[in-house]
């Protein structure tokens, strides 16, 4: 055990023995467990009736015509880029303040991710910087609804029409959100969701491609199954062994077991998001009083899905670095996190795409100040109070 670990333990012990509060947490109830047991007793385990049912119900939930489920949000992003024909020589504009998968899916297709900066107030992709980064090679704009707040889709749509580009929504944070009365899932040519346990609802691992275009949905169905035109169940139904492969694909299938869980979770999604929003309201009320921290601006025309609750440290008001506050809060048993290291600062992109500091100054500045508080539907009222008190105590100790 290193000295740093020991200090950590010591700090943990000092914190009056209360249980640590996790940063993110899924919910699985008895109904979910029974749904999975039923699938386990079924005939398919992998692609069976649960997959199509889950897709139909998910599409309905987000007001979209088509939904195709895959093994992860990352697989869904890869399928999205492939469906749009992204290939070597192409450029795809992605925000830099996101999870690496948003950019990696572009690289999977041999194309180049071009990093756009974020608006300093909302931390959402900045349409003005997107426009500056459009070239003859640009094919797609990817928006990512950071923390759960939908991006400015009208501005991005206007750019996509003016320059003849596809618009994709990485909606892994914003399931349940909306923009100008339109639900997330209807705001782009393709919207991508993750069903990882840290997200609003889960299938263990899983992802979803949502689109108004039937041809894209059909492509993604083939893409998740090696590029072949019929899955095993369709062949059985048609009494044939034959299938054809015209395009390259992968095994990105999701199982019936997972989709049984997804169907059961979907019923509770609206309630869970409401609970997240109530927690965010308490945090907002507490921190709007504080000079030491500030939450990103949320526009009135958006319904925020509250996947994350990020705060920024006001370094003009406190003599405290983000790393210090992170350590101090963790030492008090608060499961804080940081979202995200700007992707253009990741060694892979620096080494292979010559990115680096000063490419996206707003995101770089935000990263120095950002930390995310625990937020999930089962966080108790007392735990929310503990988080608030801990942030206030730590920042008060270090006021300028
Ligand atoms: C979670 C997440 C992903 C990846 O989803 P997985 O299901 O973990 O593959 C992609 N983009 C963003 C913004 C995410 O938060």
């Amino acid at each position: 055990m290193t000295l740093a670990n020991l200090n950590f333990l010591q700090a943990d012990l000092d914190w009056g023995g209360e249980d640590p509060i996790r940063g993110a947490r899924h919910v699985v109830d008895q109904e979910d467990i029974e749904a999975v047991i039923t699938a386990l007793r079924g005939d398919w385990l992998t692609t069976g009736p649960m997959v199509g049912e889950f897709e139909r119900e998910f599409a309905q939930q987000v007001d979209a015509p088509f939904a195709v489920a895959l093994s992860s949000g990352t697989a869904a992003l890869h399928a999205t880029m492939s469906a749009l024909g992204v290939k070597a020589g192409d450029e795809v504009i992605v925000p830099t303040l996101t999870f690496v998968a948003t950019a990696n899916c572009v690289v999977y297709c041999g194309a180049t991710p071009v990093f756009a900066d974020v608006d300093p107030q909302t931390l959402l992709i900045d349409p003005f910087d997107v426009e500056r980064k459009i070239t003859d090679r640009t094919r797609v704009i990817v928006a990512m609804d950071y923390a759960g707040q939908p991006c400015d889709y009208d501005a991005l749509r206007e750019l996509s029409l003016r320059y003849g580009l596809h618009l994709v929504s990485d909606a892994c944070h914003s399931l349940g959100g909306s923009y100008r009365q339109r639900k997330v899932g209807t705001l782009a040519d393709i919207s991508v969701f993750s069903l990882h346990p840290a997200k609003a609802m889960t299938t263990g691992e899983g992802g979803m491609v949502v689109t108004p275009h039937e041809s894209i949905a059909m492509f993604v169905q083939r893409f998740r199954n090696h590029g072949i035109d019929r899955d095993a169940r369709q062949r059985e139904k048609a009494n044939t062994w034959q299938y054809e492969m015209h395009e390259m694909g992968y095994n990105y299938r999701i199982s019936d077991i997972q989709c049984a869980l997804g169907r059961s979770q979907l019923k509770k999604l609206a309630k869970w998001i409401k609970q997240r929003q109530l927690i965010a309201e308490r945090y907002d009320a507490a921190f709007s009083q504080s000079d030491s921290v500030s939450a990103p601006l949320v526009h009135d025309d958006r319904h925020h899905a509250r996947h994350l609750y990020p705060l920024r440290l006001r370094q003009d008001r406190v003599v405290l670095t983000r790393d210090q506050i992170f350590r101090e809060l963790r030492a008090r048993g608060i499961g804080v996190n940081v979202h995200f290291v700007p992707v253009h600062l990741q060694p892979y992109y620096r080494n292979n795409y010559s990115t680096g500091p000063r490419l996206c100054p707003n995101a770089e500045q935000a990263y120095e100040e950002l930390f995310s508080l625990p937020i999930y539907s089962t966080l108790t009222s007392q735990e929310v109070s503990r988080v608030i008190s801990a942030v206030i105590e730590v920042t008060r100790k270090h006021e300028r």
Side-chain angles (χ1 to χ4, degrees):
M1 183 171 278
T2 65
L3 193 59
N5 279 345
L6 262 175
N7 285 339
F8 218 117
L9 250 177
Q10 189 57 46
D12 263 345
L13 292 175
D14 289 343
W15 177 250
E18 285 184 274
D19 288 339
I21 299 173
R22 295 178 58 146
R25 172 76 194 172
H26 60 268
V27 188
V28 170
D29 64 15
Q30 191 57 34
E31 184 187 36
D32 295 335
I33 291 167
E34 277 159 22
V36 169
I37 290 171
T38 305
L40 283 169
R41 295 210 166 99
D43 292 329
W44 293 98
L45 298 191
T46 186
T47 317
M50 289 297 137
V51 179
E53 287 297 305
F54 180 43
E55 290 170 341
R56 201 175 46 73
E57 290 163 4
F58 194 95
Q60 216 162 34
Q61 178 81 31
V62 298
D63 286 350
F66 302 100
V68 183
L70 297 97
S71 54
S72 70
T74 304
L77 284 166
H78 186 189
T80 294
M81 290 302 139
S82 300
L84 298 176
V86 170
K87 58 185 188 314
D90 293 346
E91 292 175 357
V92 173
I93 298 179
V94 299
T96 189
L97 198 67
T98 185
F99 184 54
V100 290
T102 314
N104 291 356
C105 66
V106 177
V107 176
Y108 296 165
C109 295
T112 301
V114 173
F115 295 98
D117 206 351
V118 294
D119 177 285
Q121 289 191 291
T122 60
L123 304 183
L124 300 173
I125 194 167
D126 175 8
F128 293 102
D129 201 48
V130 170
E131 184 164 18
R132 280 192 283 276
K133 290 186 170 157
I134 293 173
T135 72
D136 290 347
R137 292 166 175 257
T138 310
R139 298 287 172 266
V140 184
I141 301 168
V142 182
M144 196 286 272
D145 301 333
Y146 178 78
Q149 176 173 203
C151 297
D152 188 351
Y153 282 96
D154 283 349
L156 295 167
R157 175 57 78 191
E158 194 274 322
L159 283 177
S160 87
L161 291 173
R162 186 141 50 89
Y163 290 93
L165 310 173
H166 301 289
L167 178 59
V168 166
S169 167
D170 177 340
C172 290
H173 293 187
S174 56
L175 177 59
S178 59
Y179 170 83
R180 301 186 177 166
Q181 317 298 331
R182 280 129 60 198
K183 281 194 186 173
V184 168
T186 64
L187 300 164
D189 301 319
I190 303 180
S191 303
V192 172
F193 298 90
S194 166
L195 301 166
H196 181 277
K199 305 293 160 68
M201 59 168 278
T202 189
T203 54
E205 292 277 2
M208 195 72 82
V209 163
V210 166
T211 179
H213 305 293
E214 185 168 19
S215 59
I216 289 177
M218 302 289 281
F219 176 93
V220 175
Q221 282 182 10
R222 295 189 298 274
F223 188 81
R224 73 173 168 192
N225 194 32
H226 311 277
I228 62 186
D229 58 0
R230 295 182 213 231
D231 66 35
R233 191 156 154 260
Q234 289 165 335
R235 292 198 298 276
E236 185 172 300
K237 268 195 183 152
N239 267 320
T240 177
W241 50 268
Q242 283 180 311
Y243 57 83
E244 287 182 357
M245 177 195 150
H246 296 274
E247 310 132 335
M248 184 48 63
Y250 296 78
N251 179 353
Y252 281 161
R253 291 187 302 260
I254 191 166
S255 68
D256 247 30
I257 305 167
Q258 291 167 298
C259 290
L261 177 57
R263 291 183 70 192
S264 180
Q265 293 250 311
L266 196 56
K267 294 185 205 157
K268 290 155 283 200
L269 177 68
K271 178 180 83 185
W272 289 340
I273 290 176
K274 187 74 209 152
Q275 287 165 331
R276 286 172 176 268
Q277 287 164 339
L278 290 173
I279 293 166
E281 277 176 28
R282 285 199 54 203
Y283 283 154
D284 281 346
F287 301 124
S288 61
Q289 317 288 326
S290 167
D291 290 329
S292 311
V293 291
S294 63
L297 176 72
V298 179
H299 285 296
D300 292 341
D301 58 357
R302 321 218 177 152
H303 193 67
H304 196 307
R306 298 295 183 183
H307 167 58
L308 303 174
Y309 192 91
L311 278 177
R312 291 177 77 162
L313 200 56
R314 295 274 307 270
Q315 283 170 322
D316 55 333
R317 300 300 184 105
V318 280
V319 192
L320 185 65
T321 65
R322 187 276 315 284
D323 293 2
Q324 271 176 310
I325 194 169
F326 177 89
R327 278 199 303 273
E328 291 210 29
L329 289 171
R330 279 280 178 101
R332 285 169 153 76
I334 311 293
V336 284
N337 221 322
V338 174
H339 301 95
F340 295 90
V341 179
V343 182
H344 75 279
L345 298 182
Q346 292 289 357
Y348 176 86
Y349 287 101
R350 290 195 196 205
N351 294 335
N352 294 284
Y353 292 85
S354 305
T355 61
R358 287 182 295 282
L359 187 64
C360 297
N362 296 337
E364 289 165 31
Q365 179 67 39
Y367 168 59
E368 296 298 321
E369 303 165 358
L370 273 172
F371 59 103
S372 305
L373 300 183
I375 189 164
Y376 44 92
S377 57
T378 54
L379 196 66
T380 66
S381 177
Q382 291 93 314
E383 287 172 326
V384 173
S385 302
R386 249 179 79 195
V387 173
I388 292 171
S389 310
V391 172
I392 288 175
E393 268 175 42
V394 171
T395 50
R396 194 166 286 156
K397 267 198 322 197
H398 298 277
E399 268 169 12
R400 279 187 196 275

